[in-house]
Amino acid sequence: MDALLDLLNSRPLVNGEEQDALGDPAGGRRWAREHGGEGSLAELALLRETRDILRDLVRGETSPDALSPLLEGVHQIPEITSDGLQWTVRTPPHARLAVEVILAWAAAEKHTPGRLRPCANDECQLFLLDRSRANSARWCSMAVCGNREKARRHYERTR
């Protein structure tokens, strides 16, 4: 789940300018390796494409069908182990990390529907996974986006 959020949040706005952790080969390679990937150019291209589709999915701007091309050639193989049935994902090496992120998104949708969402701050491009009991989190960071929004609303009320 951490890789999913990290990928979705790999294009933040910093001082009004978009930063892309996967934008340059050195930074992208570092990001991929920190998340268990190989850091190849093919992997980075697939991660950027996956990020953009998942971003649009979470925002409700596209359907899950958009993921189909990214999952071509991916197979789940059942294996019986001493612990029971286990599924192993078989994919080309450069696609493994992107497929794992897609599977994390699918698990989030299945087990915690509606909890993965964009920050409510219109000037923020980040996403959050609401782990609160009430499912009421609205901002990626209460200290940053939440505080700004509350301060803005207070200012408007007192004007």
Side-chain angles (χ1 to χ4, degrees), residues 20-39:
D20 188 351
L22 305 175
D24 72 280
R29 189 172 296 114
R30 186 178 328 105
W31 190 96
R33 287 182 179 156
E34 287 172 358
H35 292 84
E38 60 183 28

Side-chain angles (χ1 to χ4, degrees), residues 30-130:
R30 186 178 328 105
W31 190 96
R33 287 182 179 156
E34 287 172 358
H35 292 84
E38 60 183 28
S40 70
L41 293 179
E43 181 180 53
L44 295 180
L46 194 57
L47 285 169
R48 285 190 295 271
E49 184 178 0
T50 301
R51 173 188 62 197
D52 294 345
I53 292 171
L54 288 174
R55 180 194 64 218
D56 293 345
L57 265 171
V58 173
R59 288 182 178 156
E61 297 169 358
T62 192
S63 76
D65 295 336
L67 293 170
S68 292
L70 302 177
L71 298 173
E72 288 179 14
V74 175
H75 302 283
Q76 279 194 319
I77 311 297
E79 295 179 17
I80 303 295
T81 67
S82 59
D83 296 327
L85 180 65
Q86 196 171 351
W87 290 90
T88 302
V89 176
R90 298 266 166 88
T91 184
H94 77 281
R96 185 188 53 77
L97 184 54
V99 168
E100 287 176 0
V101 169
I102 292 169
L103 291 173
W105 167 81
E109 287 297 300
K110 181 178 181 179
H111 301 293
T112 56
R115 290 190 175 254
L116 178 64
R117 55 180 164 257
C119 179
N121 180 353
D122 293 334
E123 297 172 8
C124 180
Q125 292 187 165
L126 299 181
F127 292 81
L128 65 123
L129 181 61
D130 186 354

